[in-house]
Each structure stands twice: as structure tokens, then as C-alpha cells.
Amino acid sequence: MVRTIVVGGVAGGMSAATRLRRLASGAEIVVLERGPEVSYANCGLPYYAGGVIERRDDLLLQTPQSLHTRFGLDVRVRTEVLAIDRETRRLRVRDLVTGREYDEGYDHLVLSPGAAPVVPELPGVERALTLRTVAEADRLAAAVRGGARTAVVVGGGFIGLEVAENLARRGLTVAVVERDAQVLAPLDPEMAAPVHAELAANGVALHLGATVTKVLADVVELHDGRLLDADLVLLAIGVRPETDLASGAGLKLGPRGGIAVDETMRTSDPHIYAVGDAVEKVDRVGGAPSLIPLANSANRQGRLAADAIAGLPVRLGGRIGTAIVQVFGLTVATTGANEKRLRAAGRPYRVIHTHPASHAGYYPGAEPMSLKLLLDPDDATLLGAQAVGGAGVDKRIDVLATALYAGLRADELADLELGYAPAFGSAKDPVNMLGYIAGNQLSDGEQSIQWHEVAAAVEAGAALLDVRTAAEYAAGHLPGAISLPLDELRERMAEVPDRALIVYCQVGQRGHTATALLTGHGYRVHNLDGGYRTWKAGTASVQSARPGAA
Amino acid sequence: MVRTIVVGGVAGGMSAATRLRRLASGAEIVVLERGPEVSYANCGLPYYAGGVIERRDDLLLQTPQSLHTRFGLDVRVRTEVLAIDRETRRLRVRDLVTGREYDEGYDHLVLSPGAAPVVPELPGVERALTLRTVAEADRLAAAVRGGARTAVVVGGGFIGLEVAENLARRGLTVAVVERDAQVLAPLDPEMAAPVHAELAANGVALHLGATVTKVLADVVELHDGRLLDADLVLLAIGVRPETDLASGAGLKLGPRGGIAVDETMRTSDPHIYAVGDAVEKVDRVGGAPSLIPLANSANRQGRLAADAIAGLPVRLGGRIGTAIVQVFGLTVATTGANEKRLRAAGRPYRVIHTHPASHAGYYPGAEPMSLKLLLDPDDATLLGAQAVGGAGVDKRIDVLATALYAGLRADELADLELGYAPAFGSAKDPVNMLGYIAGNQLSDGEQSIQWHEVAAAVEAGAALLDVRTAAEYAAGHLPGAISLPLDELRERMAEVPDRALIVYCQVGQRGHTATALLTGHGYRVHNLDGGYRTWKAGTASVQSARPGAA
Ligand SMILES: Cc1cc2nc3c(=O)[nH]c(=O)nc-3n(C[C@H](O)[C@H](O)[C@H](O)COP(=O)(O)OP(=O)(O)OC[C@H]3O[C@@H](n4cnc5c(N)ncnc54)[C@H](O)[C@@H]3O)c2cc1C
Ligand SMILES: Cc1cc2nc3c(=O)[nH]c(=O)nc-3n(C[C@H](O)[C@H](O)[C@H](O)COP(=O)(O)OP(=O)(O)OC[C@H]3O[C@@H](n4cnc5c(N)ncnc54)[C@H](O)[C@@H]3O)c2cc1C
Ligand SMILES: CC(C)(COP(=O)(O)OP(=O)(O)OC[C@H]1O[C@@H](n2cnc3c(N)ncnc32)[C@H](O)[C@@H]1OP(=O)(O)O)[C@@H](O)C(=O)NCCC(=O)NCCS
Ligand SMILES: CC(C)(COP(=O)(O)OP(=O)(O)OC[C@H]1O[C@@H](n2cnc3c(N)ncnc32)[C@H](O)[C@@H]1OP(=O)(O)O)[C@@H](O)C(=O)NCCC(=O)NCCS
């Protein structure tokens, strides 16, 4: 009988095992898992620690027993694979309960060992917790129950912020320490600014541009000597692919340090497949190798490995890496490439910011959001998108991720027919608006200017025209801007300075109408993309990037 | 100066006027509107009547004055266009306040006269209200304030159900009378069944297969003589394109009775464009002419007419017709073609039903939904989708509408990377699942059977196998089904009858695993698509289709 062994019994591994069973009812399938649980919801761990998910059992989607009963799988927990002998196709395995070691032969091997939290070498770091497994979530929950009052979360990534929120929910005083000038690296800085504000509004102290140098008994010490109270320390500064087993067996690793696989999930050994957080993927945008430690890809790849073993045709294209996270009242979501990454890769791009409402403004309960779109300046295909706000952020990112996958041009977004009733969207949905704005720049040649380009343009002689109302202007404006409300512009055209103009409103929309009007009157005009709101967020992000600004 | 006249000052018309102003700052633009308001939110009218939208002013997005100030538009309300003299390019116009008639010359004409509620010829129908304009919403709201206690809504379409809900919200006892065997015609019958249940659960009496024969002083009489209390009667049996003006001028109409336009919104007269509810569109799926009286298309077409007048390249492809509506606690959404329409067109298709949760089951608050996907059996491209349920329905339909627009194959849905965190979706999102299920049928040759095909297959000798738990079986099952829970199937394989099998579970998922197992053991198996839930909904819809079943 053909025998497949799967190493790692969670997202990628168990998806491979159950799928393979459906494709090969008679095959022998063994799953070896180091930990005490399989098929658990890693993604739920922060919420279990925070008490949102109340029952520990809810985290366990399957058990070795249920997988045996339903799928006829031989699932062995507390069982570590120590080594692969590729020559003889045998694994060296240790039963972690008894300590006994034994060998297991395979015809096909699927590796889905995941990734491990990065733990820096720091004095006292042994006291710090990490969060990857149910056991670690138990430890975190126990620390909270044990009376911890203060917490320092090291790392402002997705997991760090989820943990910070959940600890705050439990009443702890929480500080987040982040080495970078912003949280959530997939966001560009001006999109991260509202997240910083949301953390502050919810009492989470954010220390940007800061590193931890020591973990002491009940404080942590930062690079500048500051001490932060920390009954509890959680490390969430990233994960690294679990590659010991693979590299020990001489399997090829990729440039980013993950296991190298081809489009069929096969490693450099034709009998060994690898999937999930441990492997390298290819970015759909740009084609660069990348680590995308997300559950969607792990599950997808696991299933594809089973297909490949069963002889079905398999081909996984480049990955987009859509990600989403709740940060208190904000939803933050990204898909594709961000501006930082495109700039670093030297790839030309165009940027659009908007600040639409989740649904029609005349219907109660609309929530604001900020959207950013990146597109190819030549063929207008989508390169990436970011969204931060309330309701409807998840929907817009999923639509944009679908459009990006399908290779749509940005101006085609105007053509999408998205469900509109007052409680759900607008007659021109925010995604349609992105398409309109893109089209205006692409075919109509409307010029926009980005928040970080304003200072230089003003330096070079451009005049700044604020077309918002007098009240909006009074509440805050760009330095040196002249106030000339859109609704007075036609009559006061004579007052417009005879120079290159940068026009702006609150979000870009009135600026667009003003730009059209002024262009029609012969002016050379740039519309400030995303308006005052994006400029404000962008300049705030520059502030927080200054050393010691936290 | 080039002079454009727009007839109709709401969704399509005003979108054309404002856009044209941005493209042609010096042009003369006149908007003629019969009613007292322009730029109002038709889509909000039911919610204004229901008190959800509290301020009447919130419905008015712009006023003639604001449009003059901002866009330099000459907007004339209470001004009806009576006739078009195409030869001389002049309109005959009546000022409805003074009764004065006058002529207006145009270079370009844009018609966006909308559609009018269909009013059947019935004794007493004068008493019945319709809902299209703000004035009609005022009348409806006044009737409620005036003490109406009972209401009959004639027509179970989108607007009828929105009004029914809003009247119920105001405390009225509401009955809906629908000629068809189901409400919301874009849904297939098994998808409409939960909507019927939701109406009933909220105290709305539903009379299906029923027509109104008389409107009397405080009741309406149905075809079978029944009388329904009706202090208030609202007609919402559909709209017909406003084509009097166009046909009076000899403009070509299309086969569905709307104004015929080409891809650039041009009518049979090169100086006249027409947009919105009054014109015929082309279905993206199938290419048939159709009336799609929705705001997205009206706004889009209005903007495109302006582009065409300004000389920009314009080309509007076929329309998908995505629609969404809230019905009490349910969200109902559709995109593309439904099964009824495909069957009528003789177009082959394949069907998939699922019943996923809005987000990961282990995270609190997940809400159930039902999804239906229609795909081309040959090339697997999407043909249409329907969704009914709670949270997340709008997102899934918008993703599917985007995929349909982009021409994706159903199995490619498995590859989409949609934002996943526990509060937003699942590691395999419902849309991904549709892709998996499609792929299983397409490449792996898994056979499914639809709810309405079961009876004939059983007749022909197939055995019915219920693989749910004993408790689920006890709570209701298909007539004649054998209970054999999935988790016992491996051991009790000997009990499986040696015949063609129809396997089912609650939603199709366990049925799929059972099907795989049984197929592996040499059985010829069909998995009941959508499981017991779809079968139950489908058979309920057949019941309600029986004459007098209401
Ligand atoms: C706290 C947290 C929150 C997350 N939130 C999200 C989210 O919201 N959205 C999202 O998309 N993703 C999220 N993720 C990421 C997601 O969980 C992973 O992408 C996914 O679990 C990866 O699957 P995998 O199979 O590669 O690895 P894992 O699921 O980690 O499984 C690997 C398993 O292999 C076992 N193993 C490793 N080496 C051996 C060995 N030598 N012998 C035997 N067993 C071994 C490990 O014990 C482990 O159980 C989150 C992760 C964490 C930790
Ligand atoms: C109650 C209700 C709820 C709706 N809900 C939704 C929804 O949730 N989602 C959705 O997508 N769509 C919805 N719609 C449909 C949407 O409102 C229409 O598709 C859209 O308004 C069509 O735009 P239009 O410009 O073609 O017509 P309209 O917006 O109706 O504008 C036409 C205007 O032309 C004027 N006019 C007509 N003839 C003349 C003439 N001879 N001279 C001068 N003026 C004239 C009329 O007075 C009217 O004001 C709803 C409609 C109604 C009535
Ligand atoms: C759950 C787990 C064991 C996989 O089990 P599984 O049975 O393969 O997968 P699911 O329960 O997701 O169901 C998917 C299967 O049901 C099928 N299915 C779903 N709905 C269906 C329906 N209505 N009709 C027919 N089939 C259906 C799918 O096609 C798929 O089968 P396929 O792979 O043969 O195409 C594995 O993913 C796991 O351990 N997950 C937990 C860990 C995890 O994902 N962590 C990270 C995120 S928190
Ligand atoms: C509102 C109405 C007057 C149209 O006004 P409009 O200014 O053309 O349209 P919107 O307010 O929707 O704004 C869209 C414009 O702003 C631009 N825009 C939006 N956000 C922008 C941003 N952040 N930056 C730059 N431009 C932006 C768009 O590109 C578009 O301009 P364009 O057409 O030149 O490309 C018209 O649609 C109307 O009367 N609507 C009410 C009736 C209705 O729609 N009823 C049916 C549904 S209830």
C-alpha cells in the first residue's frame, strides 16, 4: 500500500492528509505532530487569551480520534520527526512521551512544520512568552489569570497587535514596542497613522523606533534606557520558517530562508512535498520569492500537495498575500504589494488615496475608511491595495484582491457592478470611485500630487489652494495655503494666483472638481491625492519616524 | 457655446451633468426636471418612510442652488419636457408652476427620464400609493402618521419587501401579495424559501400565487375572494421605462421596451444620448437585451454619456446586474443570471449550493448563509450567483460579481486570497469553497445531484444514504433514507446497499467526504448538492408554488 507521511498536523499538514484521504480511500496516511494537539485554530489563539473565545475546545477543530474515525488517519501527537533519510525514505521519529525513537518508511512525504516565533538573544528573555501553539496560549491566559497588570508586547505586527488588544480587553495596561517607525509593516506609513491613533485612543502605549535591550524581573528596558512595566512580556517580532528538518536532509532552501518548492509543492526531492509557513512562495506582483505565513496559503498548498501525490494536475501561481486584522474599532487590510516594496524593487507605480464611507451617507451608520490603491503606470493593472477603517473594509479588500488576481486594470474597477442598497454601499461604490479616479489620471491626464511631494513643489514655486469651506480651513490647513472654497471658485476666479497650483480639499473629491474647473481656465493644476486627510496622516507618520518621537 | 440639455435630474441625468461640467468648464448645461427635487436618493425612500432615515433633507444630495453654485448648472425643477423636435434640435418645455410653455434648443441631448411604477387597471386603484419620488415617500409617511394600522404591499420585489419591512417597523400589520410562487424574482425558488420564512418570522403575511382584483375602501380583494385589511395599499409590481418622450420623437426602442442605445449611450439619433432606467442594456451573461433598473448602471451610464459628448472614448460592455436587499435580519444578493433564466434561454449550466458561515466557527458571532453558484459546464466560467443570509453576504456577492466580470473560471475561486482573520472569514473562505467544489466536479468528476432531481433518481432505483448523525436524522430526513453516519461509515461499509447511491448530509460537506470514500469502494455515488438544507428549502418552495398554498 502506498504510504504517505505528513509532518505537522495543523493547517497545511492536516489539509493535505484529509484531502489525500478523499482522493485515495485505500492509502496509508500517517500524520506526525510534535505538539499535543492537531488541527487547532492558531488564528484564534489571541482571542482565546483575551476571553473572546471562551472554550478552549472551540480552538480544536479536530482531534486525533475524530480524524481517525472520519478519515482513517493515523495521527500521532507528541511525536517529533528528528531526521529524514532520503536515500532509504525513512524518518527518524521520537515519541516525546516515552522518549522512544523509531523509524518510519514513506513513499511520499509532506512537510508542513510551520514557522517558529523569532526570539532575540536578550538578557532575561527566558521570561518572555511567545504565541504559536495552544500551550503557549494557555500560558498567556494563565499569566493574565495569575494577576498580571502590565504587559509589554514586543513587535507591532499582526499578532502583536491582536495580543495587545486582547490583553487590554482583559484590563491590563499594555505597551507595544516596535523597532520600525510604524506598526503593521504591510501598510505604508500614511495608512498606519490611523492605527497608531486607534491604539492610543484605546490606552495602548506605542513605542516606535524602539528596541528592547533587557527583560528584567517586572520591567523591560528599552534602547534609550527607559523602563516599561511588564508583569508579562510577549514577543511577536516575526516568525522564521521551521527548516531544520528540511535542511538537515539537504533539501534546497530558497533565498528567503524557506524550503524551496516548485509550482506543485515539490521540494528538491521528488518524493518530498512541503507546504505552509515553512516554504517560500512567489509574489504574484513582481515575482520575488517571499514568505507569506498565512493560513489561506497553508491550507491551499496542503490540499495541492495531496492532489499532486494523487496524480492530479497541480499548478499554484504567484501569491498575493491578502491579510486582515482587527485593531480595536479599526479593521486593517492589505493585498498585493505596498509602496515601500515597489519603491525598493525599483518598480514604477502610481498611487491613489480615497476616504469613502462604508455605505451611502444618507443612511445611518456609515463608517469612514481610507483606501489606497497602487497601479502600474503603464498598463494600469493593480499592484496592491490597503484599507483602514470600519465596516466594509474587508469587503473592499476582497474585491480588490479578486480584481488583482484576475489582472483587471484599475480603470475597469469603475465598471464593476457591486451590490448597492443604502445599507451596503453607494451607487458609486468606493471601489468604483478608485476606478474613476484612475481613469481620470490615465486617459484624461489629470495630475495628482502625493502628500510627501507637496513641500518640494511649494519650494519650487507652486501655490497651495484650499478649496474646502472656511470652517474646514480654520480647523487646520497646509502651511501657506490660500482659502478659496469650491463653491466660490467660479466667482472668485480672478483671485487665483497665476502660478502652478496645488489644489486640495478634505479627501480629494472637491479638489478634483476644482482641478477640472481651473484646468478649464488654463491653469496648471495638481490635485492633492487623498486631500488634507492623507497629507495629515502622512506628515504624522513622518513625525513618528523621527528618532525619539514616540 | 455648445449647449447640452439633460432631461431628468436624478441618478443618471445629474451624473451626466456634473461630469460634463468637469470635462467642459465652459459648456452650457441645462437640466430639466419635472419634479420639485433633483439629485435625491430614490434608494433611501423606503427607509425614510420607515423612519430609519429621519431627516427628509438627508435624501437630497444636491439642490438646484448647490448645483448652480458648484457646477454652474442651469437646473430647472417643476419643468417638464413635452416633446423633442429632432429636426430643429429643440425641446418643447412646460413650466409646471406657471403653465407657460417654451422651446429650448440643444446641441446634445441626454435623456435620463427613469422608469415609472406599473399601475394595473383595477377598480379602486386610485387609492393605492406608489413609491418613486420624494413626494410619494412623503405621501406614504403621511399615511403612516395619519394612523394607518394595516397595509397591503402588492408585489414582492426588492422595493415591495423594503416597504413591507419599513411599514412593519412602524408597527403596521403588513401583508405582501405576490403573483408568482416566490418573492424576489432574481432568486431561484430554493433560495427564496428562507426569505419567505424571514417574512413570516417578522409577522408579514405572505400571499403567494395571489393577485389583487379590487382595491376597496379599507380592504383589498384577492383573486380567490379573500379580503385583506388595508388602511394603506402600496403598489410595487415593477417599473416600466419612461419612453413617451423618446418614442414620441421617433427614437428607436429595444425589444424589452426601453430606449435603444449603443455602447456609447447614443440613441438612434446621433445628437441624443439616453441612460438609466429608461434604456435597454445588454446582459453580460448571454448577451440578451434587458432592463436593469439599478442605480449603479444609471450613474455609470450618465457619466459615460458625458464622456461621449466630450469626445472621450466610451464603451460600456454587458451588464451583470448585481442587486442586494435587506429583508429584516436577512441580506439577499444576486449577480449575473439565475437558473430560471438560463433554463429559459436553453443555456447549459451547472449548479453548486453551499451553506457556509460568515466567519470561522470558533470565533463568536458567525452567521449562516446560503450560496448558490451557476457555472458553464464546458469552460467553467461563472454565470451567476445568489446569496441569502446574515453578515458577509454582501462581501461574497461582490467578490463573485468581480470574478464574473473578470471572466474567472469557477475553479479559480479556490485560488483567491481573501482576507482571513477569525472575525472576517475562514482559512478557506466560502468563495474558495465554491472553487473547491467546482473543481471536484470539473476535473475529478465527482457527481452531484440537485434537490429537484432526487425523486426521479430514487424512482429509478437509487438508494438514499443519510450520513449525518443519528440526532440530525431523527430531526428530519429525506423519505426512505437510510441513516449511516459518516463517522461510522468505514466500519459499517458492509451495510451500504449495493445500488446506485445518493448520499447527503446537512450542507454537502460531509456528503462529499462520504462520496469520496464510497467511490473509493467502488460505489456509484451522487452527492446531494447543498445537502438536506437545500433539499428542504427546495421542497418548501415547491409547496408554496401549489395553487392556494399561501
Ligand atoms: C497567534 C497567531 C495568529 C494568527 N492569525 C492569523 C490570521 O488571522 N490569518 C491568517 O491567515 N493567518 C494567521 N496566522 C498564521 C497561520 O496560523 C499560519 O499561516 C498557518 O497555521 C500555517 O500552517 P502550517 O501548517 O504551515 O503551520 P502550523 O499551522 O504552525 O503547523 C505546523 C505544525 O508542525 C509541527 N511540527 C513542526 N516541526 C515538527 C517536527 N519536526 N515533527 C513533528 N511536528 C512538527 C508543529 O508542532 C506545528 O503544530 C496566525 C498565527 C498565529 C501563531
Ligand atoms: C424606492 C426605490 C428604491 C430603490 N432602491 C434601489 C437600491 O437599493 N439599489 C439600486 O441600485 N437601485 C435602487 N433603485 C433604483 C434606482 O433608484 C434607479 O435605478 C435610478 O434612480 C435610475 O436613475 P435614472 O436617472 O434612470 O432615473 P431617476 O433617478 O428615476 O430619474 C429620472 C427623473 O427624470 C424625471 N423625468 C422623467 N420624464 C421627464 C420629462 N419628460 N421631463 C422632465 N423630467 C422628467 C423624473 O421626474 C425623475 O426625477 C430604487 C428605486 C426606488 C424607486
Ligand atoms: C480542518 C482540516 C482538518 C481540514 O479538513 P478538510 O475536511 O480537508 O477541510 P474543510 O473542513 O475545510 O472542508 C473542505 C472540504 O469540504 C468540501 N466542501 C465544503 N463544503 C462543501 C459542500 N457544501 N458540498 C460539497 N463539498 C463541500 C470541500 O470541497 C473540501 O473538500 P476537498 O478538499 O476534497 O475539495 C484542516 O484544515 C485543519 O486542521 N485546520 C485547522 C487549522 C488551521 O487551518 N489553522 C489555521 C487557520 S486558524
Ligand atoms: C451626486 C450626483 C449629483 C453626482 O455628482 P458627482 O459629483 O458627479 O459625483 P460624486 O459625488 O459621486 O463624485 C464622483 C466624482 O468625484 C471623483 N472623486 C471621488 N473621490 C475622489 C477622490 N478621493 N479624489 C479625487 N476624485 C474623487 C470621481 O472621480 C468622480 O469624478 P469624475 O466623474 O469626474 O471621475 C448624482 O449622482 C446624483 O444626483 N445622485 C443622487 C441620485 C442617485 O444617485 N440616486 C440613485 C441612488 S439612491
Side-chain angles (χ1 to χ4, degrees):
Chain A
M1 205 170 356
V2 179
R3 185 165 215 250
T4 298
I5 299 190
V6 177
V7 182
V10 196
M14 207 55 87
S15 290
T18 52
R19 170 67 174 171
L20 186 57
R21 169 57 69 230
R22 283 188 289 266
L23 296 175
S25 62
E28 198 178 345
I29 306 172
V30 182
V31 180
L32 304 176
E33 166 58 51
R34 185 167 57 194
E37 285 102 4
V38 291
S39 288
Y40 55 88
N42 330 46
C43 317
L45 299 179
Y47 299 93
Y48 169 63
V52 176
I53 299 173
E54 292 178 12
R55 292 157 22 98
R56 188 178 189 277
D57 269 4
D58 285 344
L59 295 172
L60 307 176
L61 275 59
Q62 296 282 351
T63 63
Q65 184 52 48
S66 70
L67 290 158
H68 179 70
T69 316
R70 178 162 300 180
F71 296 102
L73 302 178
D74 174 359
V75 179
R76 306 183 200 162
V77 292
R78 299 181 203 271
T79 299
E80 183 167 14
V81 178
L82 303 175
I84 309 169
D85 183 343
R86 291 164 49 197
E87 206 89 346
T88 62
R89 287 195 226 147
R90 298 188 77 76
L91 300 181
R92 187 70 188 164
V93 179
R94 178 185 290 148
D95 180 328
L96 296 177
V97 178
T98 63
R100 185 176 74 94
E101 290 192 10
Y102 58 97
D103 285 359
E104 283 289 347
Y106 65 83
D107 298 297
H108 305 288
L109 181 62
V110 178
L111 302 177
S112 190
V118 173
V119 178
E121 292 201 18
L122 284 179
V125 78
E126 314 77 49
R127 178 165 88 81
L129 305 177
T130 50
L131 185 61
R132 179 82 192 178
T133 62
V134 181
E136 289 167 298
D138 287 338
R139 238 169 284 152
L140 184 59
V144 172
R145 272 198 314 274
R149 306 284 308 276
T150 56
V152 167
V153 174
V154 189
F158 286 69
I159 295 175
L161 294 194
E162 283 185 342
V163 171
E165 176 181 342
N166 277 288
L167 293 177
R169 178 177 283 130
R170 286 283 181 126
L172 278 77
T173 302
V174 183
V176 172
V177 178
E178 166 61 52
R179 187 179 50 187
D180 206 350
Q182 63 163 84
V183 299
L184 300 176
L187 290 178
D188 289 316
E190 80 282 14
M191 298 298 285
V195 185
H196 298 169
E198 183 73 7
L199 290 168
N202 285 278
V204 173
L206 187 57
H207 301 272
L208 296 172
T211 49
V212 171
T213 46
K214 270 187 208 142
V215 180
L216 302 168
D218 46 15
V219 294
V220 302
E221 186 190 272
L222 299 189
H223 66 293
D224 56 6
R226 273 178 297 163
L227 297 177
L228 304 178
D229 287 342
D231 294 341
L232 183 167
V233 180
L234 186 109
L235 290 175
I237 57 172
V239 297
R240 53 158 195 76
E242 284 264 15
T243 52
D244 293 359
L245 203 54
S247 58
L251 294 177
K252 221 183 119 198
L253 302 188
R256 302 288 308 273
I259 304 172
V261 294
D262 66 13
E263 290 178 334
T264 73
M265 307 302 117
R266 211 146 69 164
T267 66
S268 51
D269 179 324
H271 297 282
I272 306 181
Y273 297 81
V275 302
D277 287 3
V279 310
E280 281 195 16
K281 289 110 191 163
V282 173
D283 269 334
R284 194 169 192 93
V285 176
S290 75
L291 299 167
I292 300 179
L294 292 171
N296 171 302
S297 285
N299 276 273
R300 178 97 187 98
Q301 292 190 314
R303 186 177 181 277
L304 287 175
D307 285 1
I309 290 170
L312 295 176
V314 167
R315 196 193 151 268
L316 186 68
R319 301 268 86 192
I320 290 171
T322 311
I324 190 165
V325 66
Q326 186 87 42
V327 183
F328 295 98
L330 283 185
T331 303
V332 179
T334 70
T335 190
N338 65 11
E339 191 172 348
K340 275 179 290 200
R341 182 142 68 80
L342 294 170
R343 204 182 305 122
R347 173 150 186 179
Y349 58 87
R350 206 181 254 280
V351 179
I352 294 171
H353 293 90
T354 60
H355 304 277
S358 55
H359 64 242
Y362 63 80
Y363 189 89
E367 298 181 9
M369 76 177 87
S370 297
L371 279 175
K372 176 173 185 172
L373 187 73
L374 294 153
L375 51 139
D376 187 296
D378 297 322
D379 64 14
T381 51
L382 305 191
L383 301 175
Q386 298 161 48
V388 178
V393 158
D394 59 331
K395 174 162 72 176
R396 273 49 179 233
I397 276 294
D398 280 0
V399 167
L400 290 168
T402 304
L404 200 164
Y405 172 87
L408 294 190
R409 293 191 321 274
D411 52 318
E412 287 184 279
L413 298 175
D415 250 348
L416 294 179
E417 291 166 76
L418 304 171
Y420 165 53
F424 300 102
S426 291
K428 296 168 190 158
D429 189 85
V431 173
N432 297 139
M433 282 293 191
L434 291 174
Y436 282 138
I437 300 168
N440 289 337
Q441 298 184 4
L442 295 166
S443 36
D444 311 357
E446 175 162 323
Q447 306 281 331
S448 69
I449 184 167
Q450 293 300 317
W451 63 271
H452 53 81
E453 300 168 336
V454 170
V458 169
E459 190 73 19
L464 272 168
L465 214 62
D466 184 322
V467 299
R468 299 175 301 163
T469 62
E472 287 174 289
Y473 180 84
H477 56 262
L478 267 66
I482 306 164
S483 171
L484 225 174
L486 173 58
D487 286 340
E488 300 170 19
L489 193 52
R490 300 179 166 275
E491 274 153 32
R492 296 173 55 191
M493 194 59 81
E495 297 173 39
V496 178
D498 190 14
R499 282 147 61 194
L501 297 175
I502 298 171
V503 158
Y504 73 89
C505 65
Q506 191 68 6
V507 302
Q509 188 164 14
R510 281 170 291 170
H512 165 60
T513 287
T515 298
L517 189 62
L518 290 162
T519 306
H521 279 76
Y523 286 94
R524 201 156 57 74
V525 192
H526 284 75
N527 183 21
L528 176 57
D529 184 59
Y532 184 72
R533 209 173 288 171
T534 294
W535 179 85
K536 188 90 185 154
T539 46
S541 74
V542 173
Q543 237 107 55
S544 65
R546 295 235 175 80
Chain B
M1 205 170 353
V2 178
R3 184 165 215 248
T4 299
I5 299 189
V6 178
V7 182
V10 196
M14 206 55 85
S15 290
T18 52
R19 170 67 174 171
L20 186 57
R21 168 57 69 229
R22 284 188 288 265
L23 296 175
S25 63
E28 197 178 348
I29 306 172
V30 182
V31 181
L32 305 176
E33 165 58 51
R34 187 167 55 194
E37 285 101 4
V38 291
S39 288
Y40 56 88
N42 330 45
C43 318
L45 299 179
Y47 299 94
Y48 168 63
V52 177
I53 298 172
E54 292 178 12
R55 292 156 22 98
R56 189 179 187 278
D57 270 4
D58 285 345
L59 294 171
L60 307 177
L61 276 59
Q62 295 282 349
T63 63
Q65 183 53 47
S66 70
L67 290 159
H68 178 70
T69 316
R70 178 162 301 179
F71 296 103
L73 302 178
D74 174 359
V75 179
R76 307 183 201 163
V77 292
R78 299 181 203 270
T79 300
E80 183 167 14
V81 177
L82 303 175
I84 308 169
D85 183 342
R86 290 164 50 198
E87 204 90 346
T88 62
R89 287 196 224 146
R90 300 187 75 78
L91 300 180
R92 188 70 189 163
V93 179
R94 178 187 289 148
D95 180 327
L96 296 176
V97 179
T98 63
R100 186 176 73 93
E101 291 191 11
Y102 57 97
D103 286 358
E104 283 288 348
Y106 63 84
D107 298 297
H108 305 288
L109 181 62
V110 178
L111 302 177
S112 189
V118 173
V119 178
E121 291 201 18
L122 285 180
V125 78
E126 314 76 50
R127 177 163 89 80
L129 305 177
T130 50
L131 184 60
R132 179 81 192 181
T133 62
V134 181
E136 289 168 297
D138 286 338
R139 238 169 284 153
L140 183 59
V144 172
R145 272 197 313 275
R149 307 284 308 275
T150 57
V152 168
V153 173
V154 189
F158 285 69
I159 295 175
L161 294 195
E162 283 185 342
V163 171
E165 176 182 342
N166 276 289
L167 293 177
R169 179 177 283 129
R170 287 281 182 124
L172 278 76
T173 301
V174 183
V176 172
V177 177
E178 166 60 53
R179 188 180 49 187
D180 205 349
Q182 63 163 83
V183 298
L184 300 176
L187 291 178
D188 289 316
E190 80 283 14
M191 298 298 285
V195 185
H196 298 169
E198 182 73 8
L199 290 167
N202 286 278
V204 173
L206 188 57
H207 301 272
L208 296 172
T211 49
V212 171
T213 46
K214 269 188 209 141
V215 180
L216 302 168
D218 45 16
V219 295
V220 302
E221 185 189 272
L222 299 189
H223 66 292
D224 56 5
R226 274 178 296 162
L227 297 176
L228 304 178
D229 287 341
D231 295 340
L232 181 167
V233 180
L234 186 110
L235 291 175
I237 58 171
V239 296
R240 53 157 195 79
E242 284 264 16
T243 52
D244 293 359
L245 203 55
S247 59
L251 294 177
K252 223 183 119 198
L253 301 189
R256 302 289 308 275
I259 304 172
V261 293
D262 66 13
E263 291 178 334
T264 71
M265 308 302 117
R266 211 146 69 164
T267 66
S268 51
D269 179 326
H271 297 283
I272 307 181
Y273 297 81
V275 303
D277 287 3
V279 310
E280 280 195 18
K281 290 108 190 165
V282 173
D283 269 334
R284 193 170 192 92
V285 175
S290 75
L291 298 167
I292 299 179
L294 291 171
N296 171 301
S297 284
N299 277 272
R300 178 95 186 99
Q301 292 189 315
R303 186 176 181 277
L304 287 175
D307 285 1
I309 290 171
L312 295 176
V314 167
R315 197 194 150 269
L316 186 69
R319 302 268 85 193
I320 291 172
T322 310
I324 190 165
V325 67
Q326 186 86 41
V327 184
F328 295 99
L330 283 185
T331 303
V332 179
T334 70
T335 190
N338 65 11
E339 192 173 348
K340 274 180 289 199
R341 182 142 67 82
L342 294 170
R343 204 183 306 122
R347 171 149 188 181
Y349 59 87
R350 207 180 252 282
V351 179
I352 295 171
H353 293 90
T354 61
H355 304 276
S358 55
H359 64 243
Y362 62 81
Y363 188 90
E367 298 180 10
M369 77 177 87
S370 297
L371 279 176
K372 176 173 185 172
L373 187 73
L374 295 152
L375 50 139
D376 187 296
D378 298 323
D379 65 14
T381 51
L382 305 190
L383 301 175
Q386 298 161 48
V388 178
V393 158
D394 58 332
K395 175 162 72 176
R396 273 50 179 231
I397 276 295
D398 279 0
V399 167
L400 291 167
T402 304
L404 200 163
Y405 172 87
L408 294 189
R409 292 191 321 274
D411 53 318
E412 288 185 279
L413 298 176
D415 250 347
L416 294 180
E417 291 166 76
L418 304 172
Y420 165 53
F424 301 102
S426 291
K428 295 167 189 158
D429 189 84
V431 173
N432 297 139
M433 283 293 191
L434 290 174
Y436 282 139
I437 300 167
N440 289 336
Q441 298 184 4
L442 295 167
S443 36
D444 311 358
E446 175 162 322
Q447 306 281 333
S448 69
I449 183 167
Q450 293 300 317
W451 63 272
H452 53 82
E453 300 168 335
V454 170
V458 169
E459 190 74 18
L464 272 168
L465 213 63
D466 185 322
V467 298
R468 300 174 302 164
T469 63
E472 287 174 288
Y473 180 84
H477 55 263
L478 267 66
I482 305 164
S483 171
L484 225 172
L486 172 58
D487 286 341
E488 300 170 20
L489 193 52
R490 302 180 164 275
E491 274 153 33
R492 297 172 54 190
M493 194 59 81
E495 299 174 38
V496 178
D498 190 15
R499 282 148 60 193
L501 296 175
I502 297 171
V503 159
Y504 73 90
C505 64
Q506 192 67 9
V507 302
Q509 188 165 16
R510 282 170 291 170
H512 165 60
T513 287
T515 298
L517 190 62
L518 290 162
T519 306
H521 279 74
Y523 286 94
R524 201 155 56 74
V525 193
H526 284 76
N527 183 22
L528 176 56
D529 183 60
Y532 183 72
R533 209 173 288 172
T534 294
W535 179 86
K536 188 88 184 155
T539 46
S541 74
V542 174
Q543 235 106 56
S544 65
R546 294 236 175 80

